[in-house]
């Protein structure tokens, strides 16, 4: 944990993540002022997720040809340059074409889609294996703290300085992140691994790694169910829940989100404090909190008491964080240095695609029936994932790949 490269990684990633939030907030503000179209605003998260999905599919081609450090640096530097061009376009009012502006969202998300798996896979290289749980907990605490404060701070800065100025601030944050990433020293020497004329085989490589391992496959079955189910926490569904079930103003959507993210931060601290006990019981943590998330989602969806919804959201955040750290630690302890970034690339592609599909499905379900039905369906899906984890509990053991 005292490794300087680890410090550069988490600070640089924090700057990049804060920049990602700021630029989306700034861009949404600019598009809303110029178009006042909810549909145009909805295109921003859609193209953001679609860019990550395409990037996740193509990531193996890059992971076989370039080192993790190179991918992280080139991605962040390219994002910085692109956002600088976008800032100039917006500041000088060179175009008002929404598609041109949205295309920047797609390309930036595409670049981030292959940098994110590289960054995740870099972490276990920079800390000792017996410190992985602590490192994952710390990384999660920092990440969720940035998420917790980033949206609120971004909205405040937009109100004070305008969307264009927020994007300029993001360029500065991206630049700092790029410089910090160049200071990382990867202790593992990179070996290029690809064959000319066999790119289709390379694209399948990550999926084949996941499919062949009972542990990886089981973890990703759980991830698939959760990617579908957790979409109930998006703004469009929570807004309806707050209005129709709780009978509260839109402000309560912010309170619920804040409670959830505070729960995730608390979960990170809990894991960090009880590192040894957590590490010895990874399997039981994974299974127990999988059931816990299902039960808490159901309780949240059925409650009509506003303060109780905050309580359930906070507990859900704690459970989500503990389960996610357990799942991550299983992967990092079991996968080889070559496998890990490709596994994370598969995850990125899967979650991005399923998020887009389930957003539409749950949105339609919420519109047709009572919004509480969406939370019940979500709880059932999460319950199936938990039961699957319990049935396949024997595969949840650490066996380091060669």
């Amino acid at each position: 944990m005292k490794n300087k490269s680890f410090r550069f990684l988490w600070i640089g990633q924090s700057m990049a993540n804060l920049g990602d939030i700021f630029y989306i907030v700034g861009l949404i503000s600019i598009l809303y002022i110029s178009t006042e179209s909810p549909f145009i605003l909805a295109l921003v998260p859609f193209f953001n997720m679609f860019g990550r999905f395409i990037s996740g599919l193509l990531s193996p081609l890059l992971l076989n040809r370039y080192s993790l450090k190179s991918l992280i640096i080139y991605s962040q530097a390219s994002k910085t340059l692109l956002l600088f061009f976008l800032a100039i376009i917006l500041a000088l009012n060179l175009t008002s074409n929404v598609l041109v502006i949205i295309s920047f969202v797609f390309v930036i998300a595409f670049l981030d889609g292959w940098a994110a798996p590289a960054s995740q896979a870099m972490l276990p290289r920079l800390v000792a294996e017996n410190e992985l749980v602590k490192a994952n907990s710390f990384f999660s605490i920092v990440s969720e703290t940035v998420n917790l404060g980033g949206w609120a701070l971004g909205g405040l800065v937009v109100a004070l300085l305008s969307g264009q100025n927020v994007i300029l601030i993001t360029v500065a944050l991206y630049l700092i992140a790029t410089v910090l990433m160049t200071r990382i020293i990867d202790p593992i020497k990179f070996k290029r691994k690809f064959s000319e004329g066999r790119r289709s085989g390379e694209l399948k490589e990550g999926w084949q790694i996941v499919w062949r391992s009972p542990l990886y496959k089981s973890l990703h079955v759980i991830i698939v169910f959760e990617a579908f189910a957790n979409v109930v926490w998006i703004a469009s569904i929570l807004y309806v829940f707050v209005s129709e079930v709780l009978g509260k103003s839109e402000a309560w959507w912010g309170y619920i989100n804040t409670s959830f993210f505070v729960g995730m931060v608390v979960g990170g601290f809990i894991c960090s404090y009880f590192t040894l006990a957590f590490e010895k019981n990874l399997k039981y943590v994974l299974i127990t909190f999988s059931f816990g998330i299902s039960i808490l989602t159901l309780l949240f969806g059925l409650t009509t008491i506003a303060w109780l919804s905050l309580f359930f959201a906070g507990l859900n955040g704690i459970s989500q964080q503990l389960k996610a750290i357990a799942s991550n630690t299983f992967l990092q302890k079991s996968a080889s240095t070559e496998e890990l970034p490709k596994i994370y690339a598969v995850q990125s592609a899967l979650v991005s695609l399923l998020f887009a599909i389930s957003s539409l499905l749950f949105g339609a379900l919420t519109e047709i029936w009572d919004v509480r039905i969406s939370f019940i369906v979500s709880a059932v899906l999460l319950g199936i994932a938990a039961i699957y984890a319990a049935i396949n509990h024997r595969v949840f053991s650490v066996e380091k790949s060669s």
Side-chain angles (χ1 to χ4, degrees):
M1 291 284 287
K2 294 180 180 179
N3 187 305
K4 286 185 178 179
S5 291
F6 176 72
R7 196 177 306 135
F8 291 134
L9 178 65
W10 76 257
I11 297 175
Q13 196 62 55
S14 298
M15 293 295 103
N17 291 346
L18 185 60
D20 289 341
I21 294 171
F22 272 26
Y23 116 80
I24 291 294
V25 171
L27 199 58
I28 286 175
S29 171
I30 292 166
L31 290 173
Y32 181 74
I33 291 170
S34 61
T35 68
E36 295 187 356
S37 168
F39 175 75
I40 295 298
L41 298 187
L43 290 177
V44 175
F46 175 79
F47 276 97
N48 189 39
M49 297 306 291
F50 188 61
R52 288 172 181 271
F53 167 64
I54 298 298
S55 180
L57 291 179
L58 300 178
S59 288
L61 297 177
L62 296 168
L63 292 168
N64 283 340
R65 289 162 173 76
Y66 304 99
S67 68
L68 297 185
K69 179 180 175 179
S70 297
L71 290 176
I72 294 169
I73 294 171
Y74 293 152
S75 167
Q76 197 58 52
S78 300
K79 284 170 61 180
T80 306
L81 197 58
L82 274 171
L83 203 66
F84 178 68
F85 286 142
L86 179 59
I88 292 174
I89 289 171
L90 294 172
L92 301 180
N93 199 24
L94 298 179
T95 181
S96 58
N97 191 311
V98 171
L99 289 178
V100 172
I101 296 172
I102 293 294
S103 67
F104 277 88
V105 175
F106 175 83
V107 178
I108 288 172
F110 178 83
L111 291 168
D112 209 33
W114 45 262
S119 179
Q120 288 176 296
M122 179 67 79
L123 186 150
R125 298 182 178 209
L126 305 180
V127 297
E129 188 172 329
N130 62 356
E131 291 188 318
L132 268 179
V133 171
K134 195 171 183 179
N136 280 321
S137 303
F138 177 78
F139 220 87
S140 295
I141 291 169
V142 172
S143 176
E144 298 311 330
T145 301
V146 168
N147 278 330
L148 180 62
W151 292 102
L153 183 60
L156 180 63
V157 175
V158 164
L160 293 174
L161 300 178
S162 82
Q164 284 89 344
N165 287 323
V166 169
I167 290 180
L168 284 173
I169 292 172
T170 302
V171 172
L173 290 171
Y174 276 2
L175 188 59
I176 294 169
T178 305
V179 172
L180 289 170
M181 297 302 186
T182 62
R183 303 289 301 277
I184 295 171
I185 298 174
D186 187 351
I188 297 176
K189 188 175 180 180
F190 173 69
K191 296 178 182 178
R192 289 167 68 90
K193 181 188 174 186
F194 68 95
S195 302
E196 293 295 340
R198 296 186 60 187
R199 291 182 178 176
S200 60
E202 289 182 72
L203 293 175
K204 298 174 187 175
E205 197 172 350
W207 302 89
Q208 289 171 339
I209 291 169
V210 170
W211 185 256
R212 289 169 185 164
S213 165
L215 171 61
Y216 305 159
K217 186 161 59 175
S218 296
L219 287 173
H220 283 76
V221 168
I222 296 170
I223 287 169
V224 166
F225 277 103
E226 290 179 345
F228 261 110
N230 285 331
V231 81
V232 292
W233 299 100
I234 63 174
S236 57
I237 293 175
L238 270 184
Y239 270 136
V240 176
F241 178 83
V242 166
S243 175
E244 295 183 1
V245 178
L246 299 183
K248 295 291 183 178
S249 67
E250 291 179 352
W252 274 80
W253 171 78
Y255 301 155
I256 290 170
N257 266 318
T258 300
S259 181
F260 181 81
F261 281 119
V262 167
M264 295 198 83
V265 172
V266 170
F269 277 114
I270 290 171
C271 187
S272 181
Y273 190 78
F274 297 103
T275 300
L276 291 177
F278 188 92
E279 193 160 9
K280 289 179 181 177
N281 298 281
L282 283 176
K283 178 201 302 188
Y284 303 107
V285 170
L286 180 72
I287 295 170
T288 301
F289 286 100
S290 291
F291 279 107
I293 293 166
S294 172
I295 294 167
L296 288 166
T297 301
L298 180 63
L299 292 173
F300 178 90
L302 295 179
T303 187
T304 57
I305 303 171
W307 68 264
L308 204 53
S309 71
L310 295 181
F311 178 70
F312 290 141
L315 287 181
N316 202 321
I318 293 173
S319 301
Q320 294 268 13
Q321 185 71 287
L322 293 173
K323 195 209 77 59
I325 292 173
S327 178
N328 249 338
T329 305
F330 264 126
L331 281 178
Q332 292 168 355
K333 282 179 171 286
S334 300
S336 69
T337 54
E338 288 186 0
E339 289 177 338
L340 193 57
K342 293 167 188 175
I343 293 171
Y344 279 130
V346 168
Q347 277 190 24
S348 177
L350 261 180
V351 171
S352 299
L353 176 63
L354 294 176
F355 177 88
I357 294 171
S358 55
S359 295
L360 296 176
L361 292 176
F362 273 90
L365 185 64
T366 301
E367 189 165 332
I368 295 169
W369 286 299
D370 190 310
V371 65
R372 285 172 288 195
I373 298 295
S374 294
F375 281 94
I376 292 171
V377 171
S378 173
V380 169
L381 290 173
L382 291 167
I384 293 171
I387 292 168
Y388 176 86
I391 291 172
N392 291 274
H393 67 94
R394 289 185 180 85
V395 307
F396 294 110
S397 60
V398 176
E399 293 182 8
K400 191 71 180 178
S401 298
S402 57

